[in-house]
Each structure stands twice: as structure tokens, then as C-alpha cells.
Amino acid sequence: MSFVKSFCNLTIKRSYNIKSLHPKKFVSILHEVPVKPRNPWQIYLRENMDSVKDSYGVFRLKEAAGTLAAQWKGLSDAEKKKYQEMFAKELEEHNTKMQEVLSTTTPKQFREENLLRQQYNLEPVRDPNQPKRPLNRFLFYVKHLRATNDPALRDLDPKEQVSVAAKKFKTLDENEAKVFTDQAEVARQEYVEAKKAYDATAI
């Protein structure tokens, strides 16, 4: 895995779709969590589906979406405000319930849930209290460059910073690199111990 990819993987935020939130094969710990809305337009589409069904009462997504998209563009800011408020309310309800479930579920329940999810090819649910994998030595180096406001990284976006840092990292001599290697090893050992303690509570 490249330096850039290893860094970017740490920043991915997970969002569960309806199949993952409410699987049909078993009752998930997330079954009471409402689906996360995408945007106000999605709310408008959902609320107005019945108005664009054909003469047989069938909702044809492609045609209906085109019709409703044109209507949405024609709405005034005041008319759109209703759907923006609905979106904000539903997003808050999703986030609040998700946080409640994740904070009250035990490690054992997470383990049982994820065994079922593995069986049915669903993405796992991560326990926010589960020890996070430690940074590798390169990411400790990136962290150092940012903390010291290194001139080479100024005015660059995060992806560009990582790319520049990767080139600089390759130029470090053994002693310079050892600082970050040692930090990574300490973090790895701490992770191993924390993971061992966590796994013991999941049995």
C-alpha cells in the first residue's frame, strides 16, 4: 500500500445504507436507527413520488427524477426551506440515534452482530471504543511535519502534503527515520495490549 493511500484510508467516514442498517435476515443493533438522508433534494423526491406516478400507478425512477428535478430547480429559496429543515431534522435524528446505539452496545454485542454481518456479506459495525490501529512510522513523520509547520507543506491540501512528505521521508537517514520508527513501535505495542484487553470483554 502506498504512503498516500495508507493515509487517506484513515480519513474515510462510514455511512450505512438501508440494507446495512435494517437487514432482513436478522435484527441488527442498528434496527432503530433511521436511514441517513443525503440532502434536501432527496427529501423532495421522496415526498413527491406519488405525484409523478404513471397512469398505472407505477413510479418510473428515470422519468420521475427528471420531472421532479426540473420542479426542484424552479422552487424559490423559501419553498426549498421546508425540505432543508426536514433534511436537518432527519439528519439530527439519525446521528443522535446512531450515537446512542453505538455508545450503549457492548463489545460482545458488536462481536455477535459482526459475525452475522460477515455471514450475510454486510459491512461490519465498528465499536467506537475499540482500540484504533496505530499510525505507522511514515504517518508519525507527517504528523511531525504538520506540528512543526514545515515550509514544504504550507498552503498544500492534505493529499498534496502526504505526497510531498513521502518524498521527504525517503531522504531521511537511518538516525532521522529511527525517531519515527520508535514512535510507531511504542504505539504498536500499546495497541496490542489495548486490543487484547478489549477482545477479552467481547467473549
Side-chain angles (χ1 to χ4, degrees):
M1 180 180 291
S2 68
F3 289 143
V4 174
K5 187 173 182 181
S6 67
F7 177 81
C8 291
N9 283 345
L10 296 178
T11 64
I12 295 174
K13 294 184 178 180
R14 176 166 294 169
S15 180
Y16 299 94
N17 59 28
I18 189 169
K19 179 181 177 182
S20 189
L21 278 174
H22 310 144
K24 296 180 179 179
K25 299 293 186 179
F26 63 94
V27 179
S28 169
I29 58 174
L30 304 179
H31 73 281
E32 293 185 350
V33 178
V35 176
K36 183 178 181 179
R38 294 180 182 176
N39 48 51
W41 150 246
Q42 184 191 44
I43 303 293
Y44 179 79
L45 176 65
R46 183 192 70 201
E47 294 296 305
N48 291 277
M49 286 173 57
D50 287 344
S51 68
V52 289
K53 288 181 178 179
D54 64 19
S55 58
Y56 298 99
V58 177
F59 178 77
R60 302 186 185 281
L61 180 59
K62 185 176 180 180
E63 293 83 355
T67 299
L68 291 175
Q71 293 177 7
W72 172 257
K73 290 180 181 179
L75 295 182
S76 66
D77 289 342
E79 290 172 320
K80 287 183 178 179
K81 185 177 179 181
K82 168 186 174 181
Y83 301 99
Q84 292 165 345
E85 291 175 346
M86 290 175 66
F87 167 73
K89 181 175 182 292
E90 291 183 19
L91 180 61
E92 182 179 5
E93 290 172 348
H94 167 86
N95 290 338
T96 299
K97 192 62 180 179
M98 178 67 80
Q99 179 61 34
E100 177 188 326
V101 170
L102 295 183
S103 63
T104 57
T105 301
T106 67
K108 182 178 180 181
Q109 289 172 322
F110 275 110
R111 178 177 177 275
E112 292 171 345
E113 168 85 11
N114 287 328
L115 286 174
L116 286 169
R117 286 176 170 271
Q118 183 178 26
Q119 181 180 345
Y120 295 110
N121 296 316
L122 296 173
E123 60 182 317
V125 180
R126 179 173 173 78
D127 181 356
N129 296 315
Q130 182 177 349
K132 294 179 174 60
R133 291 188 177 278
L135 302 182
N136 59 34
R137 63 177 192 160
F138 168 66
L139 294 181
F140 270 109
Y141 178 63
V142 175
K143 185 178 179 181
H144 164 73
L145 294 180
R146 288 173 172 167
T148 56
N149 196 25
D150 189 282
L153 271 60
R154 290 176 190 166
D155 302 321
L156 299 179
D157 64 37
K159 187 174 180 179
E160 291 173 326
Q161 287 182 346
V162 174
S163 180
V164 170
K167 295 176 182 177
K168 287 174 64 69
F169 186 74
K170 291 178 181 178
T171 68
L172 297 182
D173 62 34
E174 185 177 342
N175 288 332
E176 291 173 324
K178 186 176 185 301
V179 173
F180 308 105
T181 300
D182 290 346
Q183 290 179 356
E185 178 58 22
V186 169
R188 187 192 70 79
Q189 292 178 5
E190 290 176 346
Y191 168 77
V192 169
E193 291 303 314
K195 186 67 163 55
K196 184 185 298 183
Y198 174 86
D199 289 345
T201 67
I203 299 175

